[in-house]
Amino acid sequence: MNTATATARTPYFSFKQPLRFGGEGFVASDDEPFAYRWYDKDRVVLGKRMEEQLRFAVCYWHSFVGNGTDPFGDPTFGRPWHAGGEPMQQARHKAEVAFELFRVLDVPFFTFHDRDIAPEGRTLAESNGNVRRIADLFQRQMADSGIRLLWGTANLFSHPRYMAGAATNPDPEVFAYAAAQVCNALEVTHQLGGANYVLWGGREGYETLLNTDLKRELTQMGRFLSMVVEHKHKIGFKGQILVEPKPAEPTKHQYDFDVASVHGFLRTYGLEREVKLNIEQNHALLAGHTFEHEIALACALGVFGSLDMNRGDELLGWDTDQFPHNLPQVALALYHVLRAGGIGMGGLNFDAKLRRQSIDPDDLVWAHAAAMDLCARALLVAEKMVVDGSLQRHVDNRYAGWETERGRAMLDGRLSLETLAEEVTGKGHEPQPRSARQERLEHLVASYF
Ligand code: XUL
Ligand code: CO
């Protein structure tokens, strides 16, 4: 990582050099207050460097746009680029601090919404121009530092014009405006060599059926996504198009509820080979699922794309977007990712925000570094689970009957309902119950930590 090219601006963070791997025995000092204990980016895990297995990304919105407000409280973070002044100047300041954080963390990727990086202008042309100017600055910083873009996206939910949805708006002119905004964001993502482009339908849903034509809105959303895919091919963008499911918040009923409903939607519009999914831990929880359920289902359906890595609070019913801290949960999630062949072109994007009392600049460093270390440790646990293979053997044994000639004949159509009825009635024997051994497997999993 090239630190020599960092700007002459006073550093925002107190860390003087990029964090490195210090191992479990690391002792902090004034010069080096923190080192990774498990995130050893060059360590080979299942044939790939850890950095490439995990493909960590810092998100722009929570870390640099977030100001510590909550529905009851004012900003607490006091970021200098929020202190007023010329908006594009502030956007450049924010970008410099963002790259300072990426360098300190030695993180390989970042993610952003168009409106995170540049202010909205008086016209769409002006807004798009602002985004492109900051993207040019990114391009220079990326070339200097080697930091890459995991994904870009468009904010189609904050501005009042989108209060009744973007693609699903009753007004076709809002649909058109959203299309123009996505067109620019996709092209900028392409210009920056993004590995993916994400669509999260924050307002693609409804509050009440009293004023909503649900069928029409779904058709609009299908057409919108098809247009994004068409444009991707037109401009030669080689990244993945990803949809991010979430069941509710900000709207009450969101169409992209969970992995299963997005998969059904993609099939309805013939997009299941073109679009994959960005799965977020907190959204899985809000949909009444576990993170690993959503990952395993997406893998089984062939639509797994990427992860938004955060954590919800099981006592709170909203999107708390906390940094991950639960080792067993993350290890099991990564186990399913590894079993399905790895993260591919996706990554682990920290769609996570500081608690509003974490007001020091360095809290941004601690939060991400701790989360990266937690995920690295979880990856090593998941690696053990894969290499040992006992868990998979238990699952394989449980379904072994389906690998016999008779099991295959039941699945491939050689045996009909009637034939099976005749056979089973004639023989008159009962299937023998077998233990599913859940507790034994829970003990096995505990042994990997
Ligand atoms: C909202 C959310 C978004 C998407 C990108 O809950 O997760 O930040 O990740 O639009
Ligand atoms: Co997200």
Side-chain angles (χ1 to χ4, degrees):
M1 191 143 298
N2 188 349
T3 44
T5 49
T7 60
R9 180 184 46 79
T10 314
Y12 188 64
F13 304 103
S14 75
F15 290 80
K16 298 183 185 70
Q17 55 206 1
L19 301 181
R20 62 176 180 99
F21 173 65
E24 286 190 55
F26 171 76
V27 181
S29 67
D30 285 350
D31 279 347
E32 198 173 11
F34 186 89
Y36 293 117
R37 285 162 191 259
W38 291 280
Y39 183 56
D40 179 6
K41 66 178 185 174
D42 294 320
R43 176 168 174 172
V44 174
V45 176
L46 297 176
K48 270 194 214 159
R49 290 171 57 252
M50 202 182 239
E51 187 178 64
E52 279 304 304
Q53 284 286 13
L54 293 165
R55 291 167 65 87
F56 288 129
V58 173
C59 88
Y60 220 89
W61 52 102
H62 288 310
S63 293
F64 310 111
V65 181
N67 57 13
T69 48
D70 73 9
F72 301 93
D74 293 341
T76 56
F77 292 162
R79 308 278 183 230
W81 54 91
H82 289 157
E86 203 280 304
M88 277 304 279
Q89 186 50 41
Q90 298 293 45
R92 279 189 283 274
H93 183 175
K94 183 163 66 168
E96 283 167 9
V97 173
F99 275 82
E100 185 190 332
L101 179 68
F102 307 156
R103 284 179 155 102
V104 167
L105 293 170
D106 194 11
V107 73
F109 289 99
F110 71 111
T111 55
F112 67 85
H113 298 85
D114 50 0
R115 295 292 169 265
D116 301 337
I117 65 171
E120 182 137 6
R122 275 160 307 165
T123 61
L124 184 63
E126 216 180 273
S127 306
N128 288 348
N130 290 348
V131 171
R132 293 210 179 226
R133 286 217 293 286
I134 298 295
D136 290 341
L137 188 159
F138 282 174
Q139 211 161 8
R140 290 193 293 278
Q141 291 269 15
M142 289 165 78
D144 271 359
S145 62
I147 291 156
R148 292 168 283 164
L149 177 62
L150 185 65
W151 48 264
T153 185
N155 180 331
L156 305 178
F157 43 87
S158 295
H159 194 280
R161 79 174 68 83
Y162 295 124
M163 69 181 176
T168 61
N169 202 287
D171 179 357
E173 289 313 320
V174 178
F175 179 101
Y177 199 102
Q181 202 182 317
V182 170
C183 188
N184 189 63
L186 180 58
E187 288 174 6
V188 166
T189 301
H190 182 41
Q191 175 198 335
L192 296 176
N196 306 272
Y197 181 84
V198 166
L199 294 110
W200 169 61
R203 303 220 179 252
E204 311 297 25
Y206 65 90
E207 294 298 322
T208 170
L209 278 178
L210 296 177
N211 62 16
T212 302
D213 184 336
L214 190 146
K215 186 169 180 208
R216 208 185 260 283
E217 293 201 357
L218 287 171
T219 310
Q220 291 169 214
M221 208 163 93
R223 178 61 199 136
F224 195 91
L225 193 51
S226 302
M227 291 191 320
V228 175
V229 169
E230 286 160 18
H231 196 61
K232 160 195 162 150
H233 291 304
K234 179 158 187 241
I235 62 177
F237 177 62
K238 297 285 178 265
Q240 304 180 120
I241 301 290
L242 305 176
V243 166
E244 182 175 324
K246 184 176 181 183
E249 199 200 312
T251 46
K252 183 169 167 187
H253 300 273
Q254 261 158 232
Y255 298 128
D256 296 332
F257 190 94
D258 60 1
V259 168
S261 35
V262 175
H263 180 253
F265 174 85
L266 295 178
R267 289 194 63 152
T268 304
Y269 295 95
L271 294 168
E272 71 273 20
R273 281 187 228 295
E274 293 282 0
V275 177
K276 297 204 180 319
L277 270 55
N278 183 42
I279 300 171
E280 176 165 327
Q281 195 277 352
N282 208 161
H283 298 179
L285 199 71
L286 294 175
H289 301 304
T290 60
F291 196 23
E292 66 260 33
H293 166 87
E294 290 289 79
I295 294 170
L297 183 60
C299 293
L301 297 170
V303 290
F304 176 75
S306 194
L307 295 179
D308 266 9
M309 189 51 89
N310 57 23
R311 132 178 90 110
D313 187 316
E314 289 175 32
L315 301 179
L316 302 174
W318 68 85
D319 199 5
T320 59
D321 282 335
Q322 288 165 255
F323 283 88
H325 185 57
N326 185 321
L327 182 60
Q329 268 176 14
V330 178
L332 284 171
L334 294 181
Y335 171 68
H336 288 283
V337 172
L338 290 179
R339 281 224 338 100
I343 199 76
M345 290 166 79
L348 270 61
N349 173 46
F350 292 116
D351 187 352
K353 62 178 174 232
L354 293 172
R355 298 306 89 189
R356 70 193 294 266
Q357 297 176 63
S358 301
I359 58 173
D360 291 346
D362 281 354
D363 282 314
L364 274 173
V365 177
W366 299 115
H368 285 91
M372 287 164 70
D373 239 3
L374 187 281
C375 292
R377 191 168 181 204
L379 180 75
L380 296 175
V381 172
E383 179 193 31
K384 274 194 219 162
M385 292 168 71
V386 171
V387 169
D388 178 54
S390 299
L391 200 55
Q392 188 55 42
R393 274 193 295 283
H394 276 280
V395 177
D396 292 344
N397 283 340
R398 193 157 180 244
Y399 293 85
W402 290 101
E403 295 302 323
T404 63
E405 191 49 26
R406 181 165 165 73
R408 284 204 198 96
M410 281 191 218
L411 275 191
D412 66 15
R414 277 179 280 159
L415 293 172
S416 68
L417 198 70
E418 196 179 26
T419 324
L420 287 172
E422 278 164 12
E423 268 184 34
V424 173
T425 322
K427 281 187 192 150
H429 67 83
E430 257 313 290
Q432 289 306 300
R434 290 164 62 200
S435 170
R437 297 180 172 164
Q438 180 171 333
E439 296 75 7
R440 182 172 162 192
L441 297 181
E442 285 168 353
H443 182 254
L444 172 68
V445 168
S447 74
Y448 296 119
F449 288 90

